[in-house]
Amino acid sequence: MGAAMNLEPLNLGRLGFGAAGIGNLYKAIPDGEAMATVLAAWDSGFRYFDTAPHYGLGLSEQRLGAVLRDKPRDEFVISTKVGRLLEANTGGAAAKDGSVKDDEGFDVPATTRRVWDFTEAGIRRSIEDSLERLALDHVDIAYLHDPDVHDLQAGISQALPALEKLREEGVVKAIGVGTNSAEAALECVEAADLDLVMLAGRYTLLEQPSVPLLDRCVERRTGVVNVGVYNSGLLARPEVPDDAHYNYDRAPREVVERARALAAVCRDFGVELPTAALQFPLRHPAVVNVTVGASKPEQVTSNANRMQESVPEELWDALEALGRD
């Protein structure tokens, strides 16, 4: 079973919606704004939506499902992730009353906690729990989430075979791995029959992995869903500010200067830096979709508009030449 056979009926489209932001990534947003953001994605033509239990300790799944459950189920594709179970946080009264906050980047009460579990039983329970939060009868794609952060070898020996079994049983239509590491992704691609790799922040206008992951994905018929194309915000604006973020932290000066050089080349061709950053990954034959996060409706519509803009071929040639210098 190869990716080219599986992905055609899934119809991810070129642009997907990443739902970490509506899980209160970095800052809390009201339910109404989160719902409006998902609706803006739907109205802008997004039909692929990605979430995870990790995002806001289940809040992302709950909010995403609250909107999508009212949409025709055969008109959208949804993915979630496995590897982290959510367990009740028994750390005292403060956790129970919501006064203790999550310490992994999401502005939510720590009433539950993440527990790594790469066993088959854990993977199956993770899917069941996600379906309950989403209030949907199935998800289309299941990714093993961050195996390199926990235990890559356990991911390869336990979790990926469990996902292959779930696909054979028809519980999910496609399986993959989601990671920030091109090296870990390559190990997983070699070890299992994956339909997809969700690669975060490693194949962007600013940087491309030195490992042969993407070319190997073409050979293995494994599609790449590319995320983090703005490199944590560094490439998200036409002008790169001094305090730009990169890899979830303050960008080093030399990285800011590289991004500004890219922005200057883009300007020469009448294209804004975020537009080039969004469209660049789709030039590689392995990349089947670019998924971007948003926490406001206007961010969604901006991304949708940027994906539709025309980019002259000469710009790509000039950016490639800059990369060689």
Side-chain angles (χ1 to χ4, degrees):
M1 182 182 285
M5 290 186 288
N6 283 349
L7 297 183
E8 183 97 10
L10 283 179
N11 191 22
L12 301 182
R14 292 185 353 134
L15 193 58
F17 177 84
I22 64 166
N24 289 358
L25 180 63
Y26 304 134
K27 63 179 181 180
I29 60 173
D31 284 340
E33 188 168 358
M35 307 299 185
T37 303
V38 179
L39 284 169
W42 183 273
D43 292 341
S44 298
F46 290 69
R47 291 299 181 267
Y48 172 46
F49 299 85
D50 174 69
T51 184
H54 174 55
Y55 302 157
L57 294 170
L59 180 63
S60 171
E61 290 181 320
Q62 292 165 1
R63 285 173 160 175
L64 188 62
V67 176
L68 293 183
R69 72 188 61 147
D70 293 329
K71 304 299 182 186
R73 186 61 188 89
D74 60 349
E75 290 187 14
F76 65 89
V77 175
I78 188 167
S79 58
T80 192
K81 304 185 182 75
V82 299
R84 291 175 174 95
L85 291 171
L86 301 183
E87 303 276 8
N89 192 347
T90 55
K96 292 175 186 173
D97 67 17
S99 60
V100 174
K101 295 290 187 180
D102 177 50
D103 61 359
E104 294 200 31
F106 295 89
D107 189 353
V108 293
T111 51
T112 58
R113 61 190 181 93
R114 302 166 183 85
V115 177
W116 291 103
D117 192 332
F118 283 4
T119 66
E120 181 176 341
I123 300 292
R124 289 181 181 274
R125 186 186 139 196
S126 183
I127 294 287
E128 291 168 3
D129 290 351
S130 289
L131 291 176
E132 188 171 329
R133 287 187 290 267
L134 289 160
L136 295 173
D137 62 359
H138 69 281
V139 293
D140 301 286
I141 304 163
Y143 296 105
L144 177 62
H145 204 181
D146 295 331
D148 52 307
V149 174
H150 175 51
D151 186 336
L152 180 58
Q153 293 313 310
I156 289 171
S157 64
Q158 295 180 59
L160 294 183
L163 284 174
E164 288 178 314
K165 189 181 292 187
L166 287 175
R167 183 179 58 192
E168 289 166 13
E169 294 171 8
V171 175
V172 294
K173 297 174 183 175
I175 62 169
V177 60
T179 176
N180 292 278
S181 167
E183 292 82 1
L186 181 60
E187 284 197 54
C188 292
V189 166
E190 297 290 6
D193 181 16
L194 301 184
D195 301 294
L196 292 164
V197 165
M198 179 169 275
L199 185 65
R202 295 285 76 82
Y203 186 65
T204 72
L205 197 59
L206 184 77
E207 64 173 285
Q208 294 89 50
S210 57
V211 295
L213 171 66
L214 271 69
D215 291 341
R216 191 67 179 120
C217 283
V218 172
E219 295 169 357
R220 296 275 290 171
R221 300 171 74 196
T222 300
V224 174
V225 172
N226 209 41
V227 300
V229 296
Y230 295 140
N231 284 117
S232 299
L234 181 68
L235 308 181
R237 285 167 282 193
E239 305 292 335
V240 182
D242 289 333
D243 62 350
H245 278 70
Y246 168 70
N247 278 358
Y248 311 107
D249 208 344
R250 180 78 175 260
R253 186 71 194 175
E254 63 272 17
V255 175
V256 170
E257 293 305 325
R258 279 177 52 209
R260 285 176 173 164
L262 293 170
V265 173
C266 290
R267 268 196 308 276
D268 289 343
F269 290 87
V271 175
E272 291 188 339
L273 177 63
T275 298
L278 192 64
Q279 294 193 26
F280 166 76
L282 288 164
R283 295 177 55 76
H284 196 289
V287 178
V288 297
N289 173 276
V290 171
T291 286
V292 285
S295 56
K296 298 178 181 178
E298 54 266 31
Q299 293 171 344
V300 171
T301 53
S302 173
N303 286 325
N305 291 335
R306 290 190 185 283
M307 187 59 90
Q308 297 302 319
E309 288 180 25
S310 177
V311 175
E313 192 65 30
E314 293 80 10
L315 170 59
W316 303 122
D317 295 338
L319 288 169
E320 189 176 335
L322 179 67
R324 289 196 299 265
D325 291 346

